[in-house]
């Protein structure tokens, strides 16, 4: 816990270190100064008036030393307010952590003389993609959190090879349309205005109904043609998120995401999230749930060793805490055939011998469709869930987000600095593999890998006859 606190705190606060030092120096200066302390130490109700009377004399006399004392007092006051605010955030606030925000990628081995961005681009060019399945399976995909779209708000969103205009109508309902106006192609999500339950194009003022997509008004035309309309995509707002239904065949949703009653009733509070960008096919990520053998190789070493691949059990730091797993994966029968369920129990042992019982971790992981996961966990100090979403921003570039909800009384620092950050370390270990592997459509397997076969068979239901596939102009060059 101490290690995780130091690790995450320094990662997120290192740019503020100057302010911490400045505040401490100001406090030392006040401690060494006498005049201002003498005024503040008077125990009566006229301290405020004494300070007010003192300031003009200070300015007239231009006493630099006393002026520095007043300035230091102001700095210390602001510094204390800042620390109290951060303490409030640590207990009650929400945390948003984007790991590798600048590089947008994790899982690349550093080469001397090259930046991470250069290495990431080089790996993408040279990586053998393999005979991958269609990059955009049919199912539900996250658009954004509900709180990010107020009534009357409109945004442009790009994912799964499509561009969308997302807006919240005045009746509170969310609409998702094709982004580009059928008139002359303006993006409705960029500068478009919500008018009642319609969105107005920023280019010529055409208005489209948020429910039907039909054009309802053209300000300069005497008649609105019936064929003036745009596509409205099926959407779902649940658990504080907005999702879009994608089906290349144009079919209506045949399964839905479940509502979490703990979130709806306020028993679980949102504590924060992590975002990773991973260079791989979307199916590589959920397939991990059925790949039980990789847990010992990749995840047995405790989180204290970090995400680096060279911190394994052969190092002393890797042997301090170790993870031990009991895992099973199964595809649920109809009518829940769209759910793949993993049950997992994890024990943490000290030096591989002594079980630390308070840190036993029991989870039920439901993969609902191709891109949404509910991971419910039980701990000694409370319960909660990770909500994982995978969004293909490009055919082989995934935005992997983990949101954490837990009992409202669990402090934010415990949920984020321990659970969320520990989870992020495990993700980055996988990302090192995902970002550098190729997809093998016909792998060489042993009988102990039977769950991988079962998972691929289950996941194939989200592809259909017309699912978009990548073609290849020449070896390793992907094209549409």
């Amino acid at each position: 816990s101490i290690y995780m606190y130091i690790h995450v705190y320094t990662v997120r606060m290192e740019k503020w270190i100057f302010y911490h030092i400045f505040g401490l120096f100001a406090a030392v200066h006040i401690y060494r100064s006498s005049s201002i302390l003498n005024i503040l130490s008077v125990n009566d109700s006229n301290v405020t008036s004494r300070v007010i009377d003192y300031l003009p004399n200070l300015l007239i006399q231009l006493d630099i030393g006393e002026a520095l004392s007043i300035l230091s007092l102001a700095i210390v006051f602001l510094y204390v307010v800042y620390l109290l605010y951060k303490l409030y955030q640590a207990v009650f606030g929400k945390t948003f952590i984007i790991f590798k925000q600048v590089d947008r990628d994790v899982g690349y081995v550093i080469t001397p003389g090259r930046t991470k961005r250069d290495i990431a681009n080089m790996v993408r060019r040279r990586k053998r993609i393999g005979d991958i399945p269609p990059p955009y399976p049919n199912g539900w995909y996250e658009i954004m959190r509900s709180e990010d779209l107020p009534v009357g708000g409109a945004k442009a969103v790009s994912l799964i090879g499509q561009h969308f205009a997302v807006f919240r109508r005045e009746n509170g309902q969310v609409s998702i349309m094709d982004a580009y106006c059928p008139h002359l192609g303006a993006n409705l999500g960029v500068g478009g205005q919500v008018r009642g339950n319609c969105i107005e194009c920023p280019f010529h003022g055409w208005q489209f109904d948020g429910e039907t997509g039909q054009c309802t008004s053209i300000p300069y035309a005497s008649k609105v043609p019936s064929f003036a309309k745009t596509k409205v995509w099926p959407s779902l707002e649940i658990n504080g998120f907005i999702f879009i239904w994608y089906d290349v065949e144009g079919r209506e949703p045949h399964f839905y995401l479940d509502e979490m009653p703990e979130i709806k009733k306020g028993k679980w509070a949102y504590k924060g999230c992590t975002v990773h960008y991973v260079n791989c096919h979307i199916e590589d990520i959920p397939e991990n749930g059925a790949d039980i053998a990789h847990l010992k190789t990749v995840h047995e070493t405790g989180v204290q060793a970090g995400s680096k691949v060279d911190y394994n059990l052969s190092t002393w730091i890797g042997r301090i805490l170790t993870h031990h797993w009991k895992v099973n994966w199964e595809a649920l029968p109809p009518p829940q055939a769209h759910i793949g369920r993993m049950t997992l129990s994890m024990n943490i042992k000290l030096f591989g011998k002594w079980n630390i019982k308070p840190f036993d971790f029991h989870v039920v992981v439901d993969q609902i469709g191709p891109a949404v996961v509910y991971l419910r966990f039980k701990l000694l100090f409370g319960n909660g869930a990770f909500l994982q979403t995978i969004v293909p921003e490009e055919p082989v570039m995934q935005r992997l987000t983990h949101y954490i909800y837990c009992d409202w009384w669990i402090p934010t620092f415990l949920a984020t600095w321990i659970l969320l950050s520990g989870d992020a370390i495990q993700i980055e270990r996988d990302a090192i593999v995902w970002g550098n592997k190729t997809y093998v459509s016909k792998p060489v397997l042993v009988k102990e890998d039977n769950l991988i076969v079962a998972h691929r068979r289950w996941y194939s239901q989200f592809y259909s006859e017309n699912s978009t596939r990548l073609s290849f102009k020449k070896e390793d060059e992907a094209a549409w």
Side-chain angles (χ1 to χ4, degrees):
S1 299
I2 295 174
Y3 170 80
M4 290 303 303
Y5 172 86
I6 295 173
H7 173 71
V8 178
Y9 186 81
T10 52
V11 167
R12 300 187 62 237
M13 296 298 295
E14 60 184 3
K15 64 181 180 180
W16 297 100
I17 193 67
F18 170 77
Y19 299 104
H20 291 291
I21 295 174
F22 198 53
L24 292 175
F25 271 112
V28 171
H29 181 80
I30 289 179
Y31 179 77
R32 293 171 60 87
S33 177
S34 58
S35 299
I36 187 66
L37 289 178
N38 290 335
I39 293 177
L40 295 177
S41 63
V42 175
N43 189 19
D44 60 31
S45 59
N46 295 322
V47 173
T48 303
S49 61
R50 288 174 180 270
V51 173
I52 293 175
D53 293 339
Y54 178 72
L55 288 176
N57 294 329
L58 177 65
L59 296 175
I60 293 173
Q61 297 175 9
L62 296 177
D63 189 328
I64 301 300
E66 300 300 333
L68 286 176
S69 297
I70 293 293
L71 178 62
S72 299
L73 180 65
I75 292 172
V76 169
F77 174 76
L78 293 176
Y79 182 64
V80 171
V81 170
Y82 168 77
L83 291 180
L84 291 174
Y85 168 71
K86 299 307 291 186
L87 179 62
Y88 171 83
Q89 278 192 323
V91 178
F92 303 107
K94 301 174 183 177
T95 304
F96 182 69
I97 307 173
I98 302 182
F99 285 80
K100 313 299 182 186
Q101 182 176 11
V102 175
D103 305 303
R104 288 177 56 88
D105 294 286
V106 295
Y108 297 107
V109 179
I110 299 302
T111 303
R114 294 180 182 269
T115 65
K116 277 193 176 180
R117 190 179 299 275
D118 292 337
I119 296 169
N121 290 330
M122 179 183 68
V123 170
R124 289 178 194 166
R125 288 194 304 268
R126 296 180 178 179
K127 177 179 175 179
R128 183 163 64 90
I129 297 176
D131 184 16
I132 64 173
Y136 306 132
N138 301 321
W140 292 102
Y141 292 91
E142 180 204 353
I143 290 289
M144 65 183 70
R145 283 181 53 79
S146 297
E147 64 182 22
D148 295 332
L149 190 69
V151 173
K155 293 188 177 183
V157 178
S158 298
L159 59 131
I160 54 176
Q162 305 286 336
H163 303 277
F164 307 103
V166 185
F167 64 98
R168 191 179 295 278
R169 313 195 298 261
E170 289 189 0
N171 62 8
Q173 299 299 309
V174 173
S175 292
I176 303 177
M177 292 180 173
D178 279 345
Y180 300 117
C181 178
H183 178 216
L184 287 175
N187 193 318
L188 300 175
V190 180
Q193 299 295 314
V194 177
R195 308 294 185 191
N197 292 326
C198 300
I199 189 168
E200 181 179 278
C201 176
F203 202 7
H204 297 92
W206 290 32
Q207 294 183 8
F208 297 90
D209 183 79
E211 188 172 350
T212 65
Q214 185 68 47
C215 181
T216 59
S217 173
I218 301 176
Y220 55 86
S222 58
K223 182 180 179 181
V224 178
S226 60
F227 54 82
K229 63 184 303 182
T230 188
K231 180 177 180 179
V232 177
W233 292 74
S235 61
L236 176 67
E237 190 166 12
I238 193 169
N239 296 326
F241 294 88
I242 300 169
F243 294 91
I244 187 173
W245 171 260
Y246 171 81
D247 186 280
V248 71
E249 313 295 341
R251 298 169 296 190
E252 290 297 311
H254 55 83
F255 68 88
Y256 289 88
L257 303 175
D258 297 328
E259 186 173 64
M260 286 190 170
E262 297 90 347
I263 295 178
K264 183 178 181 180
K265 296 177 181 178
K267 181 180 178 181
W268 289 352
Y270 172 62
K271 297 295 184 178
C273 71
T274 60
V275 181
H276 292 82
Y277 291 85
V278 186
N279 177 28
C280 69
H281 185 269
I282 183 173
E283 191 175 342
D284 284 325
I285 297 175
E287 190 171 278
N288 256 27
D291 185 7
I292 296 176
H294 95 284
L295 292 174
K296 181 174 179 61
T297 306
V298 179
H299 300 294
E300 182 176 7
T301 307
V303 295
Q304 80 282 352
S307 58
K308 294 182 179 180
V309 292
D310 54 349
Y311 278 162
N312 53 38
L313 293 178
S314 63
T315 63
W316 69 269
I317 195 171
R319 292 193 297 270
I320 297 175
L321 297 176
T322 54
H323 298 144
H324 301 269
W325 317 81
K326 292 181 180 179
V327 187
N328 185 52
W329 183 91
E330 62 177 342
L332 298 188
Q336 294 181 306
H338 58 279
I339 298 178
R341 176 166 293 172
M342 179 178 72
T343 53
L344 180 149
S345 296
M346 183 191 75
N347 307 112
I348 297 179
K349 292 187 177 182
L350 183 64
F351 297 109
K353 297 180 179 180
W354 300 285
N355 185 31
I356 307 177
K357 199 69 176 177
F359 291 99
D360 284 357
F361 197 66
H362 304 284
V363 302
V364 176
V365 184
D366 283 348
Q367 170 86 37
I368 309 174
V372 179
V373 172
Y374 293 174
L375 188 157
R376 296 174 174 88
F377 60 82
K378 292 183 178 180
L379 296 170
L380 180 66
F381 51 82
N383 302 327
F386 284 100
L387 272 65
Q388 172 187 293
T389 63
I390 310 172
V391 177
E393 295 198 343
E394 299 174 14
V396 286
M397 173 56 67
Q398 315 303 323
R399 185 178 79 239
L400 175 61
T401 309
H402 277 205
Y403 303 92
I404 186 171
Y405 288 80
C406 56
D407 290 322
W408 63 267
W409 44 264
I410 295 179
T412 298
F413 73 88
L414 186 60
T416 56
W417 294 345
I418 306 300
L419 297 176
L420 193 61
S421 296
D423 173 69
I425 287 176
Q426 302 288 15
I427 292 174
E428 294 197 5
R429 292 181 185 178
D430 286 317
I432 293 173
V433 178
W434 292 332
N436 295 277
K437 72 185 292 292
T438 188
Y439 184 87
V440 181
S441 59
K442 297 180 179 179
V444 177
L445 302 174
V446 296
K447 66 177 182 179
E448 288 79 6
D449 294 323
N450 63 307
L451 289 181
I452 296 177
V453 178
H455 185 276
R456 289 195 175 189
R457 187 184 304 116
W458 170 82
Y459 200 89
S460 66
Q461 68 180 297
F462 306 117
Y463 304 121
S464 55
E465 181 180 356
N466 295 308
S467 291
T468 303
R469 289 186 177 273
L470 292 180
S471 61
F472 295 88
K473 297 178 181 178
K474 59 182 182 180
E475 185 178 0
D476 298 334
E477 182 179 345
W480 291 103

